[in-house]
Amino acid sequence: MRVVIIGGGPCGLTAAWELAKNGANVTVVEKDSSLGGLCKTVRRDGYQFDLGGHRFISRDHELVEDIKELMGPRLLARSRRSCILFPDRRFEYPLNMMDVLKNGAIGTNLRFALGYVATISGLSRSLSPVGSFQQWVEAKYGKPLYHEFFGPYTRKLWGVDPATLSGEWAASRIPAPRFIDTLRKSIGLSGTTKTHAASYLYPVGGIGEMFETMGARIETLGGKVITGADAGSLVMRDGRAVAIRVTDSGGGAMDIEGDTFLSTAPLNRLADMIDPTANPGTGLGHRSLRFLNIMLDGIEDLSPYTWQYTPSPQVIMTRVQEPKRRSPHSAPEGRTSVMLEIPCRKDDDVWNMPDGQLQDRALEGMSRLGYRLGPHVSGVFSTYAEHAYPLLTIQAAALRHAALLSARQYPNVTSLGRQGLFRYIFMDEAMLMGRQWARNLMNPNGHNPAHEEDYGAGSLLRESGSIAV
Ligand SMILES: Cc1cc2nc3c(=O)[nH]c(=O)nc-3n(C[C@H](O)[C@H](O)[C@H](O)COP(=O)(O)OP(=O)(O)OC[C@H]3O[C@@H](n4cnc5c(N)ncnc54)[C@H](O)[C@@H]3O)c2cc1C
C-alpha cells in the first residue's frame, strides 16, 4: 500500500515515522522548505527562533520515550515560569488568586475577591451568551477578573469579542481556580496548580530540531520526505483519491500517486483540493501571528520568564519570549534575544507593516513594560504563521462538521491534526493522532475511531497514562 501524507508538521511526520518503522511505503509532501509546521525553528546569525516558542510535554509514556530515543543528548529537560505583565504590575501565571490579591491595589483586590466569592457562591451570574468564552471565565473567576485580565487579552489575541468565542476552548485550556487551594494559601498552607506542568522537554537546536530529526529518521527507514511541494488538488477516480497534484517552488507540477491519503493541511484547504466549487469549510477562519525576532547584543539574560503574557492594549504584542530560557544555545555566548508574538490577520496592516515600523512600535511597548532594548538591538526579522489559531467561534463546530463530512465521502482520504480537524490542540496531541491513524491503517482490527473527530483530544488522549516529563 502506498501512503501519501500532506504536511510535514508533528501530525504528518509522526504518522509517517510509525509507518516507516513498520516497513510501509510512505511519502510526506511539505509545502515549506523546512519541516515542523508550526513547530519549526528559524536560525540566523547564531540565533534561533521558534514560531512562538514551543515546549514538548505528553502524558503518553511511549511517545515521550520515543522522542527521548530519537533525540538522545540533544533533548534538554527544562522548567517553565510564566507571568502576566502590565506596565505597572506583574502576576505569576497560571493565575493564583493569592498572588493576584497580593499584587493588586486594595480597591482592585476587593473587587476581585468579591467577584470571585459572588461567583462561587452563586450570587452573581454571567449574562454573556450561553456557551461563550466570556460566560465560562465569568463563571469560574468572577466578572472583575474577566474584565481586568481575560477579556482584554482574549480580545487582543483573537481580534473578536470574547462573547462570540466558544467556551469549550476556555474549558480545555484555562485552569479553573480551585476554591480549596485559595483557602489553603490564605491560611499559609501551599496550594497546588495541578493543570499546568512546570517541566518540559526541549531540543538544543529549537523545537524544529525534533521534526528535522524525525524527517531524517523516516528517510533512513526508507520513507520519502519531499519539502517545497505544495499539494494543490486531489486527483479522483471512481470515488477514490488516486494521486495528489503538487507544485514545487519553481512552479513545476507533478502527481504523486497513492492508495491512502492523510491530509494535515487546513481543513478548508482540503475541501478546496476536493472541490473548490463546493467548499463547506469556507467560513472557518484563522487568527494569524507575526513574530518579531529581535537579536540583542550586550544583554546576557533578560528575565527568568519563559513566557510573559502582555494583555495591555497599550502594547502591540500578546506574549514576550526569550528563546534562551528554552535552550541556552538559542543565542551566541553572552547574548540573548526576544521574540514578540503579534496577533493579526493575513494581509492586514500589521501583517504587511515594514519590519522597521513594527520594530519601533514593539520597542516602544517593551519600554512601557520596563525593558529598554533599543541600544542593544543588533538585528530584527519577522516570521509568520497564517494558521496559528483556529478561530473557535460559537458557530465553528457546525462548519467544521460539514467540512469533515464532505472529506469523508472519499474512503481513502483522512483529515487530521490541528489544521486538519480545526481544533486547538497541542503538538503531542497532533503526534498521537498521527501515530494512532498509522496503527489503524496497519491493523484495521485494532482500536479504530469511526470518524476523524474521534481522533481528537477526547477519549483517545484521556485514556493514556499520566506522566508529564
Ligand atoms: C504560538 C504557538 C505556540 C504553541 N506552543 C505550543 C507548545 O508550547 N506546546 C505544544 O505542544 N503545542 C504548542 N502549539 C501547538 C502546536 O504548534 C500544534 O499543535 C502543532 O504544530 C500541530 O501539528 P500539525 O501537524 O497538526 O499541524 P501544523 O504544525 O500546522 O503542520 C501542518 C503542516 O502542513 C503543511 N501544509 C499545509 N498545507 C499544505 C499543502 N497544501 N501541501 C503541503 N503541505 C501543506 C504546513 O506547511 C505544515 O508544515 C503552539 C501553537 C502556536 C500557534
Side-chain angles (χ1 to χ4, degrees):
M1 188 197 317
R2 297 158 304 168
V3 184
V4 181
I5 297 178
I6 303 172
C11 183
L13 286 174
T14 311
W17 187 23
E18 186 67 21
L19 290 165
K21 277 186 210 166
N22 289 283
N25 174 342
V26 60
T27 303
V28 178
V29 293
E30 166 54 50
K31 73 176 165 60
D32 234 12
S33 56
S34 57
L35 295 175
L38 285 173
C39 298
K40 76 174 177 184
T41 299
V42 178
R43 304 179 185 98
R44 199 177 278 193
D45 303 333
Y47 292 85
Q48 60 193 25
F49 297 92
D50 295 349
L51 293 185
H54 282 65
R55 60 184 187 140
F56 176 68
I57 318 174
S58 184
R59 289 197 174 89
D60 189 280
H61 188 70
E62 188 186 347
L63 182 66
V64 173
E65 289 307 312
D66 279 354
I67 293 299
K68 285 185 176 166
E69 183 279 316
L70 179 73
M71 302 302 295
R74 302 286 297 172
L75 203 59
L76 307 170
R78 307 290 290 169
S79 52
R80 161 193 65 73
R81 191 167 162 202
S82 313
C83 71
I84 300 178
L85 183 60
F86 287 94
D88 56 342
R89 273 169 300 155
R90 184 192 304 273
F91 300 96
E92 295 292 315
Y93 188 83
L95 268 187
N96 157 345
M97 292 302 287
M98 287 313 291
D99 181 51
V100 170
L101 301 183
K102 235 177 12 207
N103 283 309
I106 290 176
T108 320
N109 280 352
L110 207 58
R111 275 196 307 119
F112 288 164
L114 289 177
Y116 179 56
V117 171
T119 291
I120 56 170
S121 63
L123 283 175
S124 163
R125 276 179 205 283
S126 171
L127 299 176
S128 176
V130 176
S132 69
F133 173 90
Q134 180 171 356
Q135 188 209 29
W136 187 91
V137 176
E138 286 185 345
K140 299 290 175 203
Y141 283 89
K143 290 180 189 168
L145 259 167
Y146 170 81
H147 288 286
E148 180 88 5
F149 290 129
F150 294 101
Y153 184 76
T154 305
R155 187 172 290 108
K156 192 171 152 187
L157 177 62
W158 294 91
V160 296
D161 181 350
T164 65
L165 289 174
S166 159
E168 201 189 311
W169 169 73
S172 64
R173 292 297 174 230
I174 302 177
R178 300 193 336 150
F179 180 65
I180 191 70
D181 289 343
T182 304
L183 199 65
R184 279 162 62 86
K185 278 219 156 190
S186 69
I187 55 170
L189 298 169
S190 73
T192 49
T193 307
K194 294 210 164 94
T195 35
H196 273 217
S199 57
Y200 61 98
L201 295 172
Y202 191 83
V204 171
I207 199 69
E209 188 184 359
M210 213 160 102
F211 299 100
E212 292 152 14
T213 312
M214 201 182 282
R217 178 70 68 89
I218 292 166
E219 294 199 302
T220 308
L221 292 168
K224 255 197 224 153
V225 179
I226 309 173
T227 52
D230 191 348
S233 59
L234 278 162
V235 182
M236 302 292 184
R237 197 174 306 139
D238 302 329
R240 292 177 73 81
V242 292
I244 51 164
R245 189 154 295 161
V246 300
T247 316
D248 64 28
S249 45
M254 66 169 166
D255 284 357
I256 299 179
E257 292 182 356
D259 303 301
T260 295
F261 297 81
L262 171 66
S263 172
T264 67
L267 183 54
N268 45 11
R269 181 92 167 87
L270 174 66
D272 256 347
M273 287 184 215
I274 292 173
D275 182 1
T277 59
N279 179 347
T282 353
L284 294 171
H286 287 87
R287 187 68 167 156
S288 308
L289 283 175
R290 177 170 173 177
F291 306 96
L292 196 66
N293 304 306
I294 307 179
M295 299 174 254
L296 299 169
D297 200 354
I299 305 181
E300 193 161 351
D301 289 293
L302 200 69
S303 88
Y305 294 105
T306 320
W307 274 288
Q308 301 189 64
Y309 294 84
T310 55
S312 167
Q314 295 168 302
V315 301
I316 193 166
M317 57 278 180
T318 39
R319 278 202 295 200
V320 175
Q321 317 217 14
E322 189 179 3
K324 239 178 125 174
R325 299 279 73 81
R326 289 180 165 72
S327 163
H329 302 271
S330 301
E333 185 91 27
R335 301 186 194 175
T336 193
S337 58
V338 278
M339 183 242 299
L340 309 180
E341 283 184 21
I342 304 171
C344 55
R345 256 178 195 278
K346 187 179 181 227
D347 286 332
D348 72 2
D349 291 349
V350 169
W351 180 277
N352 290 324
M353 197 179 281
D355 274 352
Q357 199 181 334
L358 191 60
Q359 176 184 342
D360 290 346
R361 275 188 69 180
L363 291 188
E364 199 254 332
M366 286 300 280
S367 128
R368 281 176 191 265
L369 297 171
Y371 295 107
R372 278 170 239 298
L373 302 180
H376 300 285
V377 175
S378 62
V380 174
F381 69 96
S382 293
T383 41
Y384 301 83
E386 178 186 347
H387 301 103
Y389 298 108
L391 198 53
L392 297 175
T393 56
I394 294 174
Q395 297 78 22
L399 289 170
R400 168 177 61 202
H401 187 66
L404 282 171
L405 274 182
S406 121
R408 211 173 286 153
Q409 301 167 60
Y410 302 97
N412 62 340
V413 179
T414 308
S415 185
L416 285 184
R418 175 157 164 137
Q419 319 297 355
L421 287 181
F422 198 78
R423 293 180 86 144
Y424 191 103
I425 55 165
F426 286 142
M427 94 179 84
D428 68 310
E429 296 169 297
M431 294 166 82
L432 290 175
M433 275 179 200
R435 189 184 75 186
Q436 186 66 47
W437 180 81
R439 288 184 178 170
N440 293 342
L441 199 63
M442 293 181 294
N443 176 17
N445 299 324
H447 169 67
N448 200 355
H451 299 305
E452 285 89 340
E453 283 121 316
D454 301 335
Y455 286 92
S459 56
L460 186 70
L461 302 170
R462 270 185 229 119
E463 276 165 16
S464 49
S466 63
I467 54 149
V469 176

